[in-house]
């Protein structure tokens, strides 16, 4: 099972991919989480990515493609995965396609999550993230049991540096110019399904299950 969760920042890809991964027993591979871990561990790929992430820009394709080539071919990804935040440019989409073809594999489906900009902004600015296990919370819509503490691992939750309104505006603009063209790219391949994400997580999760069956 190989799926791509595509859509603007804050639409709920990570939240849904986390649930989907547990329900279908496949790894949730999120480029943003991989990059943030690399920054925290001061690995070379993290050092290359840091300034782009903080500015709300995309990390160069070459860096991401190299990172994902390795991750997608790791042993735990043999039976499939859900990709969250990759591909994010046409070049990345083509690189993924080439890698799959080389291994005689295909994507099962690309789910495109859509939502209006005001709601995206509200979701992102209220997001709180666990820097250790990557669990996702929201001040209003998904608050942890104990204020500021991750339910899953007990770490202190943080607001990501790039989740402040000025950087979010840049990220939404970058999404429209660089990532949104992937919608037409996958539509042409007849593997895209749009999921309207303006409902509670449980309802969005039901729509995902309907879309893949
Ligand atoms: P993405 O991975 O697309 O950037 P996230 O999954 O991190 O998005 O979700 C962004 C924020 O919105 C998080 O704070 C999350 O808790 C919240 N959220 C996710 N899905 C929903 C939903 N269906 N309704 C309300 N809030 C949501
Ligand atoms: P995310 O966690 O998906 O919101 O990603 C956070 C940031 O990481 C983005 O704003 C980019 O700077 C960077 N990033 C994540 N995935 C990619 C990607 N596929 N291509 C380029 N940059 C990425």
């Amino acid at each position: 099972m190989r799926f791509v969760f595509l859509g603007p920042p804050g639409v709920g890809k990570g939240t849904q991919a986390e649930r989907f991964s547990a329900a279908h027993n496949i790894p949730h591979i999120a480029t943003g989480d991989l990059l943030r871990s690399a920054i925290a561990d001061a690995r070379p790929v993290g050092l290359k990515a840091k300034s782009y992430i903080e500015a709300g820009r995309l990390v160069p394709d070459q860096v991401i493609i190299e990172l994902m080539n390795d991750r997608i071919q790791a042993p735990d990804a043999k039976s499939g995965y859900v990709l969250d935040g990759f591909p994010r440019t046409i070049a990345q989409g083509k690189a993924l396609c080439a890698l799959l073809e080389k291994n005689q594999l295909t994507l099962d489906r690309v789910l495109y999550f859509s939502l209006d900009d005001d709601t995206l902004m509200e979701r992102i600015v209220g997001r709180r993230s666990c820097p250790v296990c990557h669990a996702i919370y929201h001040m209003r819509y998904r608050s942890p049991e104990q204020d500021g503490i991750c339910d899953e691992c007990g770490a202190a939750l943080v607001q990501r540096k790039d989740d402040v309104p000025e950087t979010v505006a840049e990220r939404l603009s970058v999404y429209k110019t660089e990532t949104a063209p992937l919608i037409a790219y996958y539509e042409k391949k007849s593997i895209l399904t749009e999921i309207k994400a303006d409902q509670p997580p449980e309802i969005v999760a039901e729509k995902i299950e309907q879309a893949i069956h």
Side-chain angles (χ1 to χ4, degrees):
M1 297 176 99
R2 281 169 297 277
F3 295 92
V4 169
F5 283 11
L6 176 70
V11 74
K13 300 180 301 295
T15 300
Q16 293 300 332
E18 203 175 284
R19 190 207 63 84
F20 191 83
S21 150
H24 296 280
N25 200 25
I26 49 174
H28 166 198
I29 302 180
T31 35
D33 288 343
L34 294 175
L35 294 170
R36 281 183 291 276
S37 296
I39 292 172
D41 299 344
R43 273 180 275 132
V45 61
L47 299 178
K48 281 185 207 156
K50 191 167 188 278
S51 60
Y52 295 98
I53 295 180
E54 288 180 357
R57 309 302 308 261
L58 293 184
V59 175
D61 284 333
Q62 236 181 313
V63 175
I64 297 289
I65 291 167
E66 215 172 283
L67 176 79
M68 290 305 273
N69 266 348
D70 290 347
R71 181 63 191 92
I72 285 173
Q73 298 190 86
D76 71 324
K78 282 270 180 288
S79 61
Y81 39 74
V82 50
L83 301 181
D84 158 15
F86 175 86
R88 232 159 163 129
T89 61
I90 295 284
Q92 292 179 20
K94 288 184 174 164
L96 174 62
C97 181
L99 180 65
L100 290 167
E101 272 176 6
K102 193 179 99 188
N103 293 301
Q104 292 167 322
L105 297 170
T106 53
L107 287 175
D108 291 74
R109 193 136 283 276
V110 175
L111 300 183
Y112 157 51
F113 297 87
S114 59
L115 194 62
D116 65 276
D117 280 2
D118 289 346
T119 315
L120 290 173
M121 180 64 84
E122 192 206 3
R123 285 191 186 179
I124 301 183
V125 171
R127 171 162 56 194
R128 295 295 179 270
S129 312
C130 177
V132 177
C133 74
H134 306 298
I136 303 162
Y137 298 87
H138 191 279
M139 306 265 275
R140 273 180 66 191
Y141 304 121
R142 193 189 175 195
S143 48
E145 279 172 24
Q146 203 186 330
D147 208 22
I149 303 293
C150 178
D151 294 343
E152 309 293 327
C153 75
L157 300 179
V158 297
Q159 180 176 34
R160 282 168 41 184
K161 271 195 193 158
D162 59 342
D163 278 354
V164 294
E166 314 77 71
T167 313
V168 175
E170 175 66 14
R171 288 161 67 198
L172 291 177
S173 154
V174 165
Y175 168 78
K176 281 172 195 153
T177 53
E178 306 208 36
T179 307
L182 283 166
I183 300 165
Y185 175 81
Y186 284 120
E187 234 163 18
K188 248 194 203 156
K189 293 180 184 275
S190 303
I191 53 168
L192 189 96
T193 302
E194 179 174 354
I195 307 265
K196 294 200 189 305
D198 58 347
Q199 282 173 301
E202 315 76 65
I203 307 285
V204 177
E206 275 171 26
K207 291 191 196 177
I208 294 175
E209 294 305 320
Q210 282 163 11
I212 67 159
H213 286 121

